Amino acid sequence: DQWIDYYHSEGALRHALGYLAVYYVAAVVAFSYGFEKWPLFDSLYFATVIFTTVGYGDLSPTTDGGRVFTVVLALYGIIILGIFLGIGGALILEQHENSMEKRMVAARTQAMQQFYGTESTSTPPSSSDVERQRSTLMQKICDVIILEAPIVIVLVLLAVPICWQEHWTVLQRYGG
């Protein structure tokens, strides 16, 4: 196994998980035992809301120290989130590129076989050859759709609740 960059190293995920643990421990200690005296669950919930940059507003620190700590904790949490997104994005992108590379090699090989294969090109292709090529083309189209479907599904699943909450019409959803 060779080192490529930080996001592909074994230590990257270990560091990110360690930073996340420090984040939650600091939040629980500060909000449950230090500034606000919240129950443990409320401290974990508030730390998660800050970490995800949602900010529901149902909990908020009331002391000056708690407010200052929240600003520092939020900045630290955003940095951790960026590290996780970088690691996850690099892994997803690498898998996608590897899959596309395999498909490109297969397509090139098939094209080379069709043009430079051992079969004689002086005879027209039989109907079974044409049907096989159509079947292969349809399989490749289906493969691309299957490969891209998770991205589309995630985007739709993220958009639907927002559209529902904002009471957008279908035209407003799609820029009309």
Side-chain angles (χ1 to χ4, degrees):
D1 222 13
Q2 123 185 13
W3 192 83
I4 299 171
D5 61 17
Y6 178 74
Y7 290 112
H8 291 88
S9 69
E10 288 182 20
L13 186 57
R14 222 179 11 248
H15 287 134
L17 291 173
Y19 293 143
L20 184 63
V22 168
Y23 174 85
Y24 277 110
V25 167
V28 167
V29 168
F31 294 126
S32 292
Y33 302 106
F35 302 113
E36 304 297 327
K37 309 295 187 224
W38 289 343
L40 178 70
F41 181 76
D42 286 351
S43 296
L44 290 171
Y45 168 76
F46 185 68
T48 303
V49 168
I50 292 172
F51 177 77
T52 57
T53 67
V54 173
Y56 291 121
D58 54 346
L59 282 177
S60 60
T62 55
T63 64
D64 290 338
R67 291 180 183 140
V68 170
F69 182 77
T70 300
V71 170
V72 172
L73 189 69
L75 293 173
Y76 182 62
I78 292 169
I79 292 168
I80 296 169
L81 186 61
I83 292 170
F84 273 115
L85 291 175
I87 293 169
L91 293 175
I92 290 170
L93 185 62
E94 183 178 347
Q95 288 177 351
H96 181 71
E97 287 174 350
N98 289 342
S99 176
M100 291 305 291
E101 182 63 29
K102 287 178 186 175
R103 292 178 193 282
M104 291 298 292
V105 167
R108 284 186 199 121
T109 303
Q110 183 180 5
M112 294 301 282
Q113 287 175 350
Q114 287 177 348
F115 287 113
Y116 301 110
T118 57
E119 299 175 0
S120 171
T121 57
S122 60
T123 60
S126 67
S127 62
S128 65
D129 290 338
V130 171
E131 188 59 37
R132 199 174 322 121
Q133 287 177 350
R134 282 186 189 149
S135 172
T136 303
L137 177 63
M138 289 305 295
Q139 180 62 41
K140 288 180 181 177
I141 291 171
C142 289
D143 287 347
V144 169
I145 290 171
I146 290 169
L147 183 66
E148 300 299 329
I151 296 170
V152 173
I153 290 170
V154 166
L155 291 175
V156 168
L157 289 176
L158 291 172
V160 166
I162 295 170
C163 294
W164 177 76
Q165 182 185 11
E166 296 292 329
H167 304 290
W168 291 342
T169 65
V170 173
L171 291 177
Q172 290 171 325
R173 289 179 194 145
Y174 300 107

